[in-house]
Amino acid sequence: MIKAILWDVDGTLLDFPAAEKAAIEKCFEVFSLGDCTDEMLADYSVINARYWKMLENGEMTKPEILVGRFREFFGKYSLDVSCAEAFNEEYQMRLGDTVVFYETALQTVNALKGKVLQCAVTNGTKVAQDRKLKNSGLDKLFDHIFISDVLGVEKPNKAFFDKVFDVIGKFSPDEVMIVGDSVTSDIRGGKNAGIITCLFDPLGTKSTGEIKPDYTVNKISDVLDVLAQRRFDITFADASCRKSIEELCSKSMFDGSENICADDYYFSGGENRILAAFEENKLVGCVMAECYRDWGDIGSVFFLYNLCVDELFRGRGIAQALVRSAVLYAKELKVRRVYADIDISTPAPERVFTKAGFALEQGDTNRYFKAILE
């Protein structure tokens, strides 16, 4: 069960490109450098990313990269290189003036307030981060804020995380998760620290190479699905569970389904699987998931059947965790929609699916769906 989340800030909770654009344009005005075109901004972003990679790899210090990126940028466009240091100081202030949250980011942090320990872990400068955290209101939502400038070491160094744990106390590695958009900083850092890693990849375009995150999400609210899955021991069932699954379904069906046959194809290692929830090695719930790759104009779809929870374990969020885990699996398969056939005359399953973001399909009194990659 995850008890602490380490949130990266820029590019994860906050839309850094939006703040970057506004800050640079304002600084160009302050230093009378003329217009900063979209082409120039694109060039700067490439230069900036390259310099931060050098910091993460230990090839340059933070003061060197902060000023060096502007010197290279100004040199490329024949601007006054001598003002690079002063420009960076102004830029750090201006970065906190524009606050744009990624979709569902603020709602997710709010939803988790008081339920798990939430900390900011950032390589940004103290000047910029203090300002943007205050202006965004995140400073009031986080339990702790860790800025590399203050710690004296950057992600992905293990020493950064050692200093974090010195403050928050000792947790088991499977109780802490870092969520961030950088493979080389956040995910590598999480791996170095031995904790759970979650990559935020809103466009689905990040290449991870040899650094494999434990989870990948394209919306920050998907982190809630990860937490639900980790709350219980939810995994793919193998054939050894067949009898237990059929017995559970025969007496503890949750969603009004009638088919309770755990067919061979669920255990063949293909895309059709059964997600099973265990507590102390006892099967307490399951849901059957089937993927169809050619579903008319929609394309790939995912169907959920036979959601069931042992009656002695109901009311603990197991059904919700199973549904959210199935949605995560559907996203891994890159399907467009998840459907769930349920009997809506029974209120309990309706609450489970609507809470997980499903909506009743227009013109259908039984089928709920949730769009994935619309």
Side-chain angles (χ1 to χ4, degrees), residues 277-292:
F278 296 88
E279 184 161 297
E280 296 183 355
N281 297 320
K282 174 183 172 58
L283 178 70
V284 296
C286 65
V287 65
M288 298 178 182
E290 297 185 6
C291 182
Y292 295 87

Side-chain angles (χ1 to χ4, degrees), residues 10 101 237 285:
D10 293 319
F101 280 96

Side-chain angles (χ1 to χ4, degrees), residues 21-35:
K21 182 177 187 295
I24 287 182
E25 288 177 345
K26 184 61 179 179
C27 289
F28 263 63
E29 178 185 330
V30 170
F31 286 84
S32 302
L33 297 177
D35 293 329

Side-chain angles (χ1 to χ4, degrees), residues 11 15 21 64 72 85 140 181 184 212 268 271 291 345 349:
D15 184 343
K21 182 177 187 295
E64 288 173 337
E72 180 175 333
E85 187 169 350
K140 298 294 192 298
D181 67 305
T184 53
K212 303 296 184 184
S268 64
E271 292 181 335
C291 182
S345 65

Side-chain angles (χ1 to χ4, degrees), residues 83-341:
C83 74
E85 187 169 350
F87 187 97
N88 175 66
E89 291 177 359
E90 182 72 19
Y91 173 72
Q92 296 304 321
M93 292 290 295
R94 298 295 179 179
L95 271 177
D97 291 342
T98 300
V99 172
V100 179
F101 280 96
Y102 277 112
E103 180 186 6
T104 72
L106 181 58
Q107 298 93 317
T108 300
V109 176
N110 265 312
L112 293 174
K113 177 68 175 175
K115 297 179 179 178
V116 297
L117 186 76
Q118 297 189 92
C119 307
V121 289
T122 172
N123 279 350
T125 68
K126 187 176 188 305
V127 171
Q129 300 307 92
D130 282 349
R131 194 175 179 91
K132 70 180 62 173
L133 290 171
K134 179 179 179 180
N135 289 341
S136 66
L138 286 171
D139 61 333
K140 298 294 192 298
L141 295 175
F142 288 135
D143 297 291
H144 299 283
I145 295 170
F146 299 99
I147 302 173
S148 61
D149 270 7
V150 178
L151 299 185
V153 61
E154 286 83 25
K155 299 176 293 182
N157 292 291
K158 183 177 181 296
F160 179 99
F161 295 91
D162 289 341
K163 289 177 180 290
V164 170
F165 284 108
D166 285 344
V167 174
I168 69 173
K170 300 301 180 183
F171 289 87
S172 298
D174 61 354
E175 293 177 336
V176 182
M177 180 170 72
I178 184 170
V179 183
D181 67 305
S182 172
V183 175
T184 53
S185 174
D186 303 310
I187 306 307
R188 181 191 288 169
K191 296 293 184 183
N192 290 342
I195 61 176
I196 302 165
T197 57
C198 181
L199 176 67
F200 176 54
D201 185 8
L203 301 179
T205 58
K206 294 184 184 293
S207 175
T208 60
E210 296 181 356
I211 307 171
K212 303 296 184 184
D214 296 300
Y215 299 94
T216 299
V217 299
N218 52 43
K219 289 194 304 183
I220 292 299
S221 58
D222 291 344
V223 170
L224 299 175
D225 296 342
V226 175
L227 295 182
Q229 181 176 353
R230 301 290 304 198
R231 183 179 175 188
F232 303 96
D233 181 11
I234 296 178
T235 186
F236 292 127
D238 59 31
S240 67
C241 301
R242 185 199 301 265
K243 184 177 180 181
S244 297
I245 288 170
E246 291 183 344
E247 288 179 354
L248 179 66
C249 290
S250 69
K251 60 184 179 181
S252 301
M253 193 64 66
F254 195 75
D255 64 358
S257 302
E258 296 180 356
N259 172 32
I260 59 170
C261 180
D263 293 317
D264 289 341
Y265 60 75
Y266 287 119
F267 309 110
S268 64
E271 292 181 335
N272 300 326
R273 307 296 290 267
I274 296 178
L275 285 89
F278 296 88
E279 184 161 297
E280 296 183 355
N281 297 320
K282 174 183 172 58
L283 178 70
V284 296
C286 65
V287 65
M288 298 178 182
E290 297 185 6
C291 182
Y292 295 87
R293 287 298 181 184
D294 187 14
W295 195 264
D297 294 337
I298 298 175
S300 298
V301 299
F302 204 67
F303 280 85
L304 302 183
Y305 302 101
N306 298 350
L307 174 64
C308 55
V309 177
D310 189 313
E311 293 180 358
L312 295 177
F313 290 83
R314 292 186 179 180
R316 297 172 55 184
I318 295 174
Q320 182 74 205
L322 284 164
V323 172
R324 289 186 177 276
S325 296
V327 170
L328 278 179
Y329 177 46
K331 289 180 178 180
E332 290 178 13
L333 298 180
K334 299 189 183 303
V335 303
R336 294 193 64 187
R337 293 186 184 181
V338 176
Y339 287 96
D341 280 318

Side-chain angles (χ1 to χ4, degrees), residues 28-65:
F28 263 63
E29 178 185 330
V30 170
F31 286 84
S32 302
L33 297 177
D35 293 329
C36 184
T37 66
D38 289 342
E39 179 185 357
M40 294 169 69
L41 277 169
D43 281 344
Y44 168 74
S45 293
V46 172
I47 293 170
N48 184 50
R50 176 160 47 81
Y51 272 76
W52 279 101
K53 284 290 188 298
M54 288 190 283
L55 176 68
E56 293 166 5
N57 292 330
E59 299 169 13
M60 297 182 73
T61 65
K62 183 176 283 186
E64 288 173 337
I65 69 112

